[in-house]
């Protein structure tokens, strides 16, 4: 069956390190260490599938045990996939440090996901999808930038809509704002999904609505869905801005994957015919649940299943 949503990009394993106290520099600290599935694009695909949208993932893994586990993980989540296996590179991995406040810092390795080539794309699958989602982690280096850009052309030629998450304000800074804009603004995206820090980095504005207006000028025709963390989200379309209040949530346990879960939930509801404002409200509920748990995609509990059932 052809998936409505195709997500292209990174699958990586998160080595999660979480402490309940401030990290002791040069010393020993007790905490939690866990190996969890991740990767920004894979997270979006999994959350969209969990929210009831048939989803296909395109990426690259190593021909190694972690790659085998990646296949098992996606299949367990009900995400169909085209995973190119590499003999030259290991499956991607990311060190995720979560401090006692729930804030996270990440160190990303250059795994197989960074070496996806245009010649390795499953062109018929991408062309048949209703929507293609890309994350900026496929744009910061080349490869895989050329593959992501080629996939966007294939999807557009097939009549699909397109969304982009700019991924990391730090990496945008390292790449250079002008360079980032040069390789993304010509993609003709329909939905742009930054967080506030990424919006600030790209526009120089500091307040949500001016950020959204400036982004709409940079990405003409795109609906801007600005993720505002504890302040909810802002949807900007047709020259009008709508603030979507946050879902109530207790203190943050782990912010890893909050933006990815928002994007997956938003796309699932929007592709199902939902109004963008309602889709953002639903996505706020999902991401609020995620930050109360460890990892980018914790197993759904009863409260989250009640939220997800509303998407079906």
């Amino acid at each position: 069956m052809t998936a409505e949503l195709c997500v292209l990009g990174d699958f990586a394993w998160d080595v999660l390190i979480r402490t309940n106290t401030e990290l002791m520099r040069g010393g020993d600290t007790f905490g939690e260490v866990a190996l969890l599935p991740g990767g920004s694009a894979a997270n979006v695909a999994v959350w969209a599938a969990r929210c009831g949208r048939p989803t296909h993932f395109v990426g690259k893994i190593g021909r190694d045990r972690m790659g085998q586990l990646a296949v098992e993980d996606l299949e367990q989540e009900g995400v169909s996939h085209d995973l190119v296996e590499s003999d030259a590179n290991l499956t991607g991995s990311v060190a995720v440090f979560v401090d006692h406040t729930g804030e996270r810092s990440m160190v990303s390795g250059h795994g197989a996901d960074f070496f996806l080539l245009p010649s390795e794309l499953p062109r018929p699958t991408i062309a048949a999808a209703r929507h293609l989602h890309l994350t900026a982690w496929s744009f910061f280096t080349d490869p895989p930038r050329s593959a992501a850009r080629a996939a966007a052309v294939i999807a557009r030629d097939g009549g699909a809509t397109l969304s982009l998450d700019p991924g990391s304000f730090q990496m945008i800074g390292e790449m250079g704002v002008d360079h980032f804009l040069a390789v993304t603004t010509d993609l003709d995206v329909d939905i742009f999904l930054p967080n506030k820090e990424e919006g600030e980095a790209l526009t120089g504005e500091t307040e949500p609505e001016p950020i959204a207006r400036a982004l709409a000028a940079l990405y003409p025709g795109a609906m801007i869905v600005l993720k505002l963390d504890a302040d909810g989200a802002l949807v900007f379309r047709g020259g009008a801005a709508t603030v979507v209040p946050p879902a109530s949530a207790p203190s943050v346990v782990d912010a890893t994957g909050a933006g990815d879960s928002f994007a997956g939930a938003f796309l699932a509801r929007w592709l199902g015919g939902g109004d963008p404002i309602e889709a953002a409200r639903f996505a706020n509920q999902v991401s609020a649940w995620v930050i109360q748990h460890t990892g980018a995609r914790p197993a759904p509990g009863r409260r989250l299943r009640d939220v997800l059932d509303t998407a079906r």
Side-chain angles (χ1 to χ4, degrees):
M1 180 179 64
T2 300
E4 297 179 34
L5 170 63
C6 182
V7 182
L8 181 145
D10 53 320
F11 187 110
W13 288 94
D14 292 342
V15 182
L16 180 72
I17 303 168
R18 184 160 68 94
T19 61
N20 294 320
T21 60
E22 191 169 351
L23 193 65
M24 185 181 299
R25 184 177 177 86
D28 297 323
T29 304
F30 282 110
E32 177 185 355
V33 180
L35 180 67
L36 300 170
S40 181
N43 291 339
V44 173
V46 166
W47 279 108
R50 287 181 175 183
C51 293
R53 200 57 42 206
T55 304
H56 191 86
F57 178 76
V58 176
K60 194 167 186 176
I61 56 175
R63 199 182 301 275
D64 51 30
R65 179 56 182 151
M66 303 312 291
Q68 294 171 0
L69 291 174
V71 172
E72 293 174 13
D73 174 70
L74 291 176
E75 291 180 350
Q76 182 177 356
E77 292 286 357
V79 176
S80 60
H81 53 80
D82 278 282
L83 290 170
V84 179
E85 292 188 342
S86 170
D87 291 313
N89 306 101
L90 298 175
T91 301
S93 59
V94 180
V96 184
F97 299 89
V98 182
D99 67 18
H100 58 293
T101 69
E103 191 54 59
R104 59 128 174 95
S105 301
M106 303 170 67
V107 178
S108 300
H110 274 65
D113 51 303
F114 279 89
F115 295 93
L116 182 67
L117 302 174
S119 60
E120 296 170 325
L121 295 174
R123 292 172 179 264
T125 300
I126 296 171
R130 282 183 54 205
H131 184 89
L132 174 67
H133 178 74
L134 302 170
T135 72
W137 289 100
S138 294
F139 287 84
F140 294 137
T141 63
D142 194 17
R145 185 189 306 136
S146 55
R149 288 178 57 82
V153 173
I154 295 167
R156 276 292 184 206
D157 288 347
T161 48
L162 181 68
S163 56
L164 174 66
D165 189 318
S168 167
F169 76 90
Q170 299 98 331
M171 294 300 293
I172 291 171
E174 288 188 22
M175 182 179 183
V177 171
D178 290 343
H179 189 191
F180 182 84
L181 292 174
V183 298
T184 60
T185 54
D186 64 342
L187 297 177
D188 194 21
V189 300
D190 297 278
I191 304 174
F192 193 65
L193 289 147
N195 64 25
K196 186 170 183 287
E197 290 79 10
E198 293 151 7
E200 290 175 353
L202 290 170
T203 67
E205 301 287 353
T206 58
E207 294 300 319
E209 186 167 338
I211 289 172
R213 289 187 179 277
L215 289 173
L218 291 170
Y219 295 86
M223 175 169 57
I224 309 300
V225 183
L226 188 64
K227 296 172 284 189
L228 300 174
D229 299 327
D231 293 323
L234 182 146
V235 176
F236 188 86
R237 54 174 177 160
T242 302
V243 175
V244 182
S248 58
S251 59
V252 177
V253 172
D254 177 7
T256 306
D260 299 333
S261 64
F262 180 99
F266 178 90
L267 291 173
R269 179 57 68 92
W270 179 75
L271 286 169
D275 176 82
I277 306 305
E278 193 279 331
R281 186 174 295 111
F282 170 67
N284 277 343
Q285 291 180 284
V286 173
S287 61
W289 181 88
V290 170
I291 64 174
Q292 299 169 50
H293 300 79
T294 300
R297 25 186 166 113
R302 176 179 296 178
R303 187 166 70 84
L304 181 63
R305 283 196 294 270
D306 290 342
V307 173
L308 297 182
D309 283 344
T310 68
R312 292 178 167 82

